[in-house]
Every structure is written in structure tokens, then in C-alpha cells.
Amino acid sequence: GGGFDCFLSARAVGPTGQVIGVDMTPVMVRKARVNASKIDAHNVTFRLGEIEYPPIADNTADVVISNCVINLSPDQPQVYREAFRILKRGGRLAISDMVASQPLTEEIRNDLAKYTGCMAGAPVIDDLVNMLQEAGFTHIKISPKDESKSFVKDWSPDMPVADYVVSATIEAVKP
């Protein structure tokens, strides 16, 4: 995106910390770089790459964050394997994303508007736990935010998506 989460992270890590943002579109990487120069964010860099194969070296990061993007990936297990790869030992995964409390109906899964609206790609919580464990993560904590059902209803007034999908905080540790 335009770098907003990276700029918030840059404040948190301070001037001696480093933040790396990744986006798959050249337009958004350029926009994020322009935004960084406007606010004089010297401890943030932006790289062009896909979330399934981020251009970041092994054992580089203390924390991997993502805000409602992984549910859009066609290969979510690969995303978590890559997050594990780039984290240092003891590093943390801290994500906000959509999750499903039960398997989505075929109608929801196949609705392109629901997919691009971050709903149709939401993994079932148990499947997400398995993905994280298979990637190597421990201390997995998934905290659904029931209050998000109201905005999910607004996003999808034509289908009962809120009966399935909520926003959640997802945390895990690389041992």
C-alpha cells in the first residue's frame, strides 16, 4: 500500500530501527516511497515483491506485520512459511486479517466481490492454526473481533457473510 502501517512501525522502532515494506505493484511502491520522503522517514525502505516470496533475507526481521492482506493470497501456507523464514529466532508474527469461524459456502468462496472485499479468502480458524504450525510457529494466538461482524454485514448486505467471517488478531512466535 501507500506505507501507512510502515510509517507507524517506523515510529515504534525509532531512528535506530529499520522497517521494510513490500508491495506487489510498482505504483504502490512508488507511492509509498514518495510518502516516505514527504514525512522524512529515513528508517523505512520499500521493495517490490509478492507476499508469497518477499525479497527479504532469511532471519532478518524481529516482527512481521500485515493488515488484511494474507486472505487475498492464493497460497496462504506459503505466506506463513516465508514469514517464518524471514523472522529471527524469537521473532513475532503480528497480523490483523479476516478469519472464518466455519467453512465458507461455495457461493461466498466463488464470489469475486467477496474475494476482493477480503471475505471469500478468509481461512477457517483451525486451518489457519494448522498453517502456522506447519510453517514452524509456536505460541499461536488467534483473537476474533466479534465487533467486526457489524462492518462485515455492511460490506455484504446481499449474503450472510458475517455468519462466517470476522476480523482477528493473529499472533505467533518463531522459536
Side-chain angles (χ1 to χ4, degrees):
F4 184 75
D5 291 332
C6 291
F7 303 136
L8 292 174
S9 297
R11 282 191 205 149
V13 301
T16 60
Q18 185 66 348
V19 176
I20 302 168
V22 176
D23 197 281
M24 66 182 277
T25 61
V27 170
M28 293 312 291
V29 170
R30 280 192 299 275
K31 182 176 183 170
R33 288 175 178 161
V34 167
N35 289 340
S37 68
K38 285 180 183 176
I39 64 167
D40 213 21
H42 296 292
N43 60 344
V44 182
T45 58
F46 293 98
R47 299 178 184 176
L48 181 65
E50 295 177 354
I51 194 169
E52 296 87 357
Y53 301 98
I56 300 172
D58 296 0
N59 305 306
T60 297
D62 295 305
V63 180
V64 169
I65 66 168
S66 175
N67 189 1
C68 208
V69 174
I70 297 173
N71 75 80
L72 297 170
S73 171
D75 191 354
Q76 294 176 26
Q78 176 64 18
V79 174
Y80 293 114
R81 287 190 297 269
E82 285 294 295
F84 188 86
R85 177 188 64 79
I86 65 175
L87 282 169
K88 297 175 185 174
R89 275 187 82 156
R92 297 180 303 115
L93 186 70
I95 294 171
S96 178
D97 214 328
M98 304 304 282
V99 298
S101 57
Q102 58 184 315
L104 302 176
T105 66
E106 191 169 324
E107 181 183 22
I108 293 170
R109 280 195 328 270
N110 294 327
D111 187 308
L112 187 57
K114 302 299 179 268
Y115 181 77
T116 58
C118 297
M119 296 172 274
V124 175
I125 292 172
D126 290 343
D127 294 340
L128 177 55
V129 169
N130 288 335
M131 282 186 252
L132 291 165
Q133 288 173 334
E134 288 174 8
F137 286 103
T138 61
H139 298 88
I140 297 165
K141 182 179 177 187
I142 300 173
S143 305
K145 301 173 192 171
D146 288 333
E147 64 273 13
S148 67
K149 286 184 180 196
S150 63
F151 68 76
V152 172
K153 276 184 188 176
D154 291 343
W155 290 351
S156 181
D158 60 325
M159 284 186 210
V161 178
D163 293 344
Y164 299 87
V165 177
V166 295
S167 177
T169 300
I170 302 153
E171 300 171 273
V173 175
K174 179 177 180 176

